[in-house]
Amino acid sequence: MKHTHTHPRATLGGKLSAVLVAAGSSVGLGNIWRFPYVAGDNGGGAFLVIYILCVLLLGLPLMLAEFTVGRASHRNAVGAFRTLDPKWGLLGYIGVLAAFLILGFYLVVSGWTAEYMIHSLTGDLARYSTAAEYERIFSNFIASPWRPLLYTAIFALATHFVIALGVQKGIERSAKILMPLLFVILILLSIHSLLMPGGGEGLRFFFQPDFSKVTPSTLLVAMGQAFFSLSIGIGTMITYASYFKPETNLRHTALNVTILDTLVAVLAGVVIFPAVFSVGIEPSSGPSLVFITLPSIFNGMPLSMVWSTIFFLLLVVAALTSTISLHEVITVYLHEEWHMSRRAAAWATTLSTIVLGAAASLSMGVWSGWTICGMNLFDTLDFVTANIMLPAGALLTCLFVGWRLDREVLHAQMTNNGALPFRIYRVFILLLRYFCPAILLLVFLDNLGVF
């Protein structure tokens, strides 16, 4: 049964707010450490060119599709699909469930960044020197039964505080502070990296195209990175677009969000590669780069405490903008579909994700013997969401908007306020109907190891 609102629904203040809030959702830890590594591993500048094409041909149409569903319905992820076509209500549940499962392990990693920022600030990280020592510290920390839990809970409560303030006072205001702060930190760290001896070699590695490393799998990796980087398929863009004003230009907003998201990823590469190459270390992915390699590099710099603290503050900010958007997807669903007060819905989300996060954290330590298909709970949550739920959600969204959504509704959203000229609108429909589903199916099958 559809919920009837007794109060006007919250809206975002204006064009800038819409861009900053949506960009905050898409910018996350994946931009900071995953993108530079993936780019370096797949031909540097050549990968960058392919990635940007994927963002334009895959990410942009998908984001526009989700914006359309959100603003046309002015509802949460579940209510949006149910309002536009009752038979497609299940698609919204996939997004809400994916957001919940992602938040379960994302809060854990976010907690790691908070722990390292605090230890950088106090000078504890500067007491060690070799990568082996940092590897031992990191392994001991994530296997600890209580320290990661404490930081997971702290991060969850920080996220809760923003959500509890509401859409305008909480989400919008935090985006206006956190996003500019993120760019200031990135630019500061970029300048510092560029001034390091040997930094030019790192830049050449990142920007100089090496097409000899480009393979068919490179294309799939670029498509996957573009798609996941923009937070498509988990209901965040639908939820945020439901707060857009009628005059918000969807095309300009989507284009600005993709530009900002890509700029963050590129700046992260400018920060990381010169720093890594200046000391002759091969870049590596994931936790080993962020929590092991980089602290050992910072330790060899003048003012190591300062640069290490600034870097981990960057990670905390990037993580917080993402946890806020994931939290909001679940909170507004409970608020509107389960008729809970916003405050109760926020607490239900916070407490349940802390419980899931605690289980995910413990699965890397005292519960490591308990596995699902050979993976601990943390890795299982990561695999199921990234490789199955997100591609499936995005694929079904393409099919819904491309084939099922009422043409008048779609046309009204897309051409509103001069958003899309008719020729571009036709290209958008073709991409959504044929190109994007085909590519998403390839990514989906590749993730499952079919190729």
Side-chain angles (χ1 to χ4, degrees):
M1 187 176 74
K2 189 175 156 183
H3 178 51
T4 303
H5 295 286
T6 54
H7 300 286
R9 202 162 193 271
T11 56
L12 294 170
K15 296 175 184 177
L16 180 63
S17 297
V19 171
L20 290 177
V21 165
S25 174
S26 62
V27 170
L29 294 176
N31 297 71
I32 310 296
W33 57 257
R34 190 175 188 272
F35 177 82
Y37 163 75
V38 169
D41 206 33
N42 289 275
F47 179 86
L48 194 57
V49 172
I50 296 166
Y51 173 78
I52 290 170
L53 287 173
C54 289
V55 165
L56 293 174
L57 294 174
L58 182 67
L60 202 54
L62 275 163
M63 187 175 290
L64 273 171
E66 293 206 353
F67 278 176
T68 298
V69 171
R71 193 174 65 177
S73 62
H74 289 293
R75 306 280 291 147
N76 61 84
V78 172
F81 286 104
R82 187 185 292 143
T83 300
L84 297 173
D85 190 330
K87 294 178 182 177
W88 284 73
L90 180 64
L91 181 50
Y93 286 104
I94 294 174
V96 173
L97 180 59
F100 174 70
L101 297 179
I102 291 169
L103 196 53
F105 72 86
Y106 203 92
L107 281 172
V108 177
V109 183
S110 302
W112 298 348
T113 67
E115 149 97 357
Y116 270 65
M117 185 189 76
I118 289 169
H119 282 294
S120 296
L121 194 59
T122 58
D124 284 353
L125 278 185
R127 297 196 336 240
Y128 308 96
S129 55
T130 66
E133 285 179 299
Y134 285 106
E135 186 169 7
R136 177 177 54 79
I137 293 162
F138 180 67
S139 299
N140 290 341
F141 168 61
I142 64 170
S144 165
W146 67 270
R147 270 171 57 211
L149 297 188
L150 176 65
Y151 282 100
T152 299
I154 289 170
F155 217 97
L157 291 172
T159 305
H160 174 89
F161 174 73
V162 174
I163 295 294
L165 289 173
V167 174
Q168 291 175 335
K169 290 182 180 178
I171 297 169
E172 184 178 340
R173 191 177 291 171
S174 69
K176 286 181 175 178
I177 297 169
L178 294 174
M179 288 307 294
L181 177 63
L182 185 139
F183 274 99
V184 168
I185 296 170
L186 267 173
I187 292 166
L188 191 63
L189 286 168
S190 297
I191 294 169
H192 179 261
S193 280
L194 291 172
L195 295 175
M196 292 180 72
E201 190 184 340
L203 278 188
R204 279 192 296 275
F205 176 74
F206 187 38
F207 287 114
Q208 195 168 310
D210 182 1
F211 289 100
S212 66
K213 288 189 178 181
V214 175
T215 64
S217 68
T218 304
L219 296 173
L220 289 173
V221 170
M223 291 167 192
Q225 177 67 23
F227 159 58
F228 298 124
S229 178
L230 293 170
S231 289
I232 304 294
I234 48 175
T236 55
M237 293 304 171
I238 292 172
T239 301
Y240 279 170
S242 73
Y243 301 131
F244 287 177
K245 289 184 174 179
E247 61 268 23
T248 301
N249 187 309
L250 297 188
R251 178 185 54 154
H252 289 166
T253 303
L255 192 60
N256 287 331
V257 170
T258 53
I259 289 169
L260 286 176
D261 185 75
T262 305
L263 185 59
V264 169
V266 171
L267 281 172
V270 173
V271 170
I272 287 168
F273 283 117
V276 168
F277 272 75
S278 72
V279 292
I281 296 174
E282 282 295 311
S284 58
S285 67
S288 59
L289 175 64
V290 171
F291 298 105
I292 298 168
T293 309
L294 287 176
S296 63
I297 293 172
F298 288 131
N299 202 28
M301 297 177 182
L303 302 173
S304 62
M305 273 176 58
V306 175
W307 296 114
S308 182
T309 303
I310 291 172
F311 177 76
F312 284 109
L313 175 62
L314 168 68
L315 293 186
V316 167
V317 170
L320 188 57
T321 58
S322 295
T323 58
I324 289 168
S325 65
L326 290 164
H327 197 295
E328 177 64 11
V329 171
I330 309 159
T331 298
V332 74
Y333 159 70
L334 293 175
H335 173 49
E336 293 180 351
E337 301 299 318
W338 288 60
H339 314 286
M340 298 170 69
S341 70
R342 184 175 174 89
R343 185 177 178 182
W347 273 117
T349 303
T350 299
L351 296 175
S352 59
T353 50
I354 286 175
V355 170
L356 182 61
S361 181
L362 291 170
S363 74
M364 289 180 286
V366 294
W367 290 356
S368 58
W370 185 74
T371 60
I372 305 167
C373 299
M375 292 184 288
N376 63 33
L377 180 61
F378 182 97
D379 293 335
T380 301
L381 292 173
D382 188 5
F383 179 85
V384 169
T385 53
N387 296 292
I388 299 173
M389 297 185 76
L390 269 67
L395 174 61
L396 291 169
T397 301
C398 277
L399 297 175
F400 173 74
V401 177
W403 293 96
R404 187 70 189 178
L405 184 62
D406 188 297
R407 295 297 95 184
E408 289 184 10
V409 172
L410 179 59
H411 190 263
Q413 291 299 320
M414 285 295 98
T415 58
N416 174 57
N417 209 21
L420 280 182
F422 184 67
R423 286 183 182 177
I424 299 176
Y425 172 75
R426 289 181 68 182
V427 172
F428 167 69
I429 295 297
L430 286 172
L431 288 172
L432 268 190
R433 284 188 165 187
Y434 304 104
F435 179 76
C436 292
I439 296 303
L440 282 164
L441 194 59
L442 284 174
V443 172
F444 184 69
L445 295 174
D446 182 56
N447 287 339
L448 296 178
V450 174
F451 300 126

